[in-house]
Amino acid sequence: MHSSKAQQVSGARPEGTRIWWSNAVFFVCVHMAAFMGVYYRPPWLVKPASLVLGFLVWQLADFGITIGYHRLYSHKAFRATTGVRIMLAMLGSVAFQGSIKWWCLRHRLHHRYTDDPIHDPYAATRGLLYSHMGWIFFKRNYERLSLIEKDDLERDPVVQFQHKYYVFLALILGFAMPPLLGLLWNDPLGSFIWAGLVSRLFIWHCTFLVNSLAHKNGLQPYSDEDSSRGNLILALLTGGEGNHNFHHSFPNDFRSGPFKLDWDPSKWIILALYRMGLVSGLRTAREVDIVDCLLYTQKKRDSIDAATERWEGVIWDHAQLRRYHQENPLNCILLLDGFVLDVTQYIREHPGGSALLKNYSFSIDKTRGFKGVQWEFHGGFNNHSRTAKKRAREMRIAKLDGTCI
Ligand SMILES: [Zn+2]
Ligand SMILES: [Zn+2]
């Protein structure tokens, strides 16, 4: 299903693709077990401590991935002491996403060949489902893997140890630890279900959203050279990894969001560890390059908008506008930046409410002629999204010859 799309894009077929049965069976079984667990032990039938443990496991394992697997090991965005590296390797093991080495090599392929349906392991061009989790079901030989740097990973004893004992570590920390902790509050089964199974689904699917949704929905303020996007909801779900457009532009930056207001708890934890002297060598992109990206993208967007401003339709004078209104007295007509818009069909959809549009709609006061000039918008439309602006352009029926009435 997905490979046919890949063929269309690249004209080639991924070699050595076969079902990865052990992965597929494990993945499906954990989902089924989690759903059954929630059915038999819903939140109101387990100890609150088990639910809290589930939340903590989700968050901690997530940071093992975002701070450890991703920023530290895949991108070398900072250096960390052996103790921190061990802790991150353990937390990452809890996430059940493969060893650091396995994960990083594929992630490096993703950055090097972003969107390439053959060489990007979770290419967004192969569809949302494939990039989210479909790729996990296939065992593939990545022919370009030999071009990816791995010496740094092979030199690190923590990575080597975790790679060798990954399955054992994951099972012990991910599955055995929650019920053992649950014994402390006499709810081992509830802890296993919520911190061993359910939390796993949260960890998996939130991380996977970075591969799928962060290449599908969101803004591209830094670059539109690939499909990566910035998405606040994703940032909230993934310890700050949702600002994916910045990350693809500056992958070695220890931050996912460079600005203070960017939601990026992983960045804040790295900064805290830095102040404690546990990590060093934080890498950041040059500010001038970040600003350059922002300006370039904005300029490009403005020129696209300017191009779509060209008008090849009719041009009305005020008498024609008045006549249109008289012929369609019930229609809601607006004047926006020099264009006449008939928004009658759209008025109920307006996110800002229909009353607002009606209030500013064009009407003729019998005693004073035109009701007034305040109904005309100029530039006041700037806060709307690009989609809203595009929608407004579609509702134009004429350009007004001279906007002042
Ligand atoms: Zn990506
Ligand atoms: Zn990355």
Side-chain angles (χ1 to χ4, degrees):
M1 171 177 69
H2 302 295
S3 57
S4 62
K5 190 165 184 180
Q7 286 169 48
Q8 287 168 19
V9 180
S10 75
R13 181 188 164 80
E15 290 300 320
T17 302
R18 56 193 191 278
I19 302 283
W20 196 343
W21 284 106
S22 56
N23 253 14
V25 169
F26 178 71
F27 189 77
V28 172
C29 284
V30 171
H31 278 75
M32 286 165 56
F35 283 113
M36 277 169 59
V38 173
Y39 181 75
Y40 287 108
R41 283 285 189 283
W44 52 92
L45 289 185
V46 293
K47 298 268 176 69
S50 300
L51 299 176
V52 172
L53 181 67
F55 178 79
L56 286 176
V57 166
W58 168 29
Q59 291 301 302
L60 290 172
D62 197 40
F63 287 129
I65 295 294
T66 62
I67 299 173
Y69 277 43
H70 189 211
R71 303 190 197 187
L72 171 65
Y73 280 118
S74 295
H75 295 296
K76 297 187 270 187
F78 61 94
R79 291 189 298 275
T81 60
T82 307
V84 170
R85 297 207 312 278
I86 290 172
M87 180 56 77
L88 290 170
M90 285 168 62
L91 292 177
S93 304
V94 177
F96 274 92
Q97 293 186 18
S99 71
I100 295 170
K101 188 176 166 187
W102 188 91
W103 200 100
C104 289
L105 291 179
R106 274 145 195 81
H107 191 70
R108 287 176 180 178
L109 270 175
H110 168 64
H111 275 272
R112 183 140 172 199
Y113 301 105
T114 307
D115 296 335
D116 184 303
I118 304 293
H119 304 297
D120 176 352
Y122 22 86
T125 43
R126 298 185 70 178
L128 198 66
L129 190 63
Y130 184 87
S131 60
H132 186 72
M133 60 183 198
W135 68 281
I136 297 164
F137 288 74
F138 299 99
K139 204 168 202 168
R140 284 188 46 196
N141 296 326
Y142 296 100
E143 60 185 67
R144 302 267 172 95
L145 210 54
S146 57
L147 301 175
I148 299 298
E149 184 190 6
K150 60 178 177 187
D151 293 353
D152 57 320
L153 300 170
E154 288 180 344
R155 272 198 310 269
D156 189 319
V158 176
V159 176
Q160 290 300 84
F161 181 86
Q162 196 245 17
H163 187 69
K164 196 169 175 187
Y165 299 104
Y166 163 71
V167 175
F168 175 76
L169 287 170
L171 290 173
I172 293 293
L173 297 169
F175 281 155
M177 191 68 91
L180 287 175
L181 287 170
L183 285 172
L184 295 174
W185 48 87
N186 213 18
D187 187 19
L189 183 60
S191 294
F192 175 69
I193 289 167
W194 283 89
L197 298 173
V198 179
S199 68
R200 182 119 306 95
L201 302 197
F202 277 88
I203 296 162
W204 277 344
H205 290 289
C206 289
T207 313
F208 298 165
L209 283 172
V210 180
N211 297 335
S212 55
L213 204 65
H215 280 268
K216 178 89 179 159
N217 278 93
L219 303 174
Q220 295 190 300
Y222 298 95
S223 166
D224 60 359
E225 291 162 296
D226 58 39
S227 61
S228 65
R229 281 149 203 282
N231 186 320
L232 177 63
I233 295 172
L234 218 54
L236 292 168
L237 288 172
T238 57
E241 297 282 55
N243 209 340
H244 207 51
N245 190 242
F246 175 82
H247 174 62
H248 268 269
S249 300
F250 305 101
N252 296 330
D253 198 308
F254 83 95
R255 308 162 298 180
S256 176
F259 296 106
K260 276 205 175 95
L261 288 178
D262 288 324
W263 181 263
D264 190 1
S266 299
K267 167 178 76 178
W268 302 326
I269 292 172
I270 294 169
L271 279 172
L273 292 171
Y274 176 74
R275 299 223 166 92
M276 292 155 73
L278 296 171
V279 306
S280 59
L282 306 191
R283 293 168 77 179
T284 52
R286 294 190 312 170
E287 208 173 315
V288 63
D289 292 336
I290 297 173
V291 172
D292 184 63
C293 271
L294 286 169
L295 289 176
Y296 176 79
T297 315
Q298 183 62 45
K299 210 168 150 188
K300 194 171 171 185
R301 191 173 301 133
D302 287 348
S303 65
I304 292 170
D305 285 347
T308 51
E309 288 294 316
R310 274 187 227 117
W311 178 251
E312 289 169 357
V314 293
I315 298 175
W316 285 355
D317 57 22
H318 296 142
Q320 285 167 300
L321 169 61
R322 192 190 292 252
R323 201 174 314 128
Y324 182 82
H325 176 60
Q326 282 164 344
E327 287 166 2
N328 305 278
L330 298 178
N331 284 22
C332 186
I333 305 161
L334 294 180
L335 187 58
L336 181 67
D337 288 336
F339 286 93
V340 182
L341 277 66
D342 189 332
V343 298
T344 315
Q345 301 297 325
Y346 173 75
I347 196 158
R348 283 180 188 280
E349 288 179 50
H350 186 230
S354 58
L356 191 74
L357 283 183
K358 280 181 189 156
N359 201 29
Y360 281 94
S361 69
F362 176 79
S363 65
I364 298 172
D365 185 313
K366 288 210 167 47
T367 56
R368 292 193 297 131
F370 289 104
K371 191 178 181 182
V373 293
Q374 67 271 34
W375 55 275
E376 179 183 352
F377 291 102
H378 272 300
F381 204 62
N382 284 344
N383 290 334
H384 285 70
S385 68
R386 286 172 69 208
T387 311
K389 288 175 183 170
K390 179 173 158 285
R391 195 75 200 275
R393 279 197 294 272
E394 289 167 3
M395 290 184 282
R396 287 172 178 173
I397 53 172
K399 186 171 170 60
L400 198 62
D401 185 17
T403 55
C404 202
I405 295 173

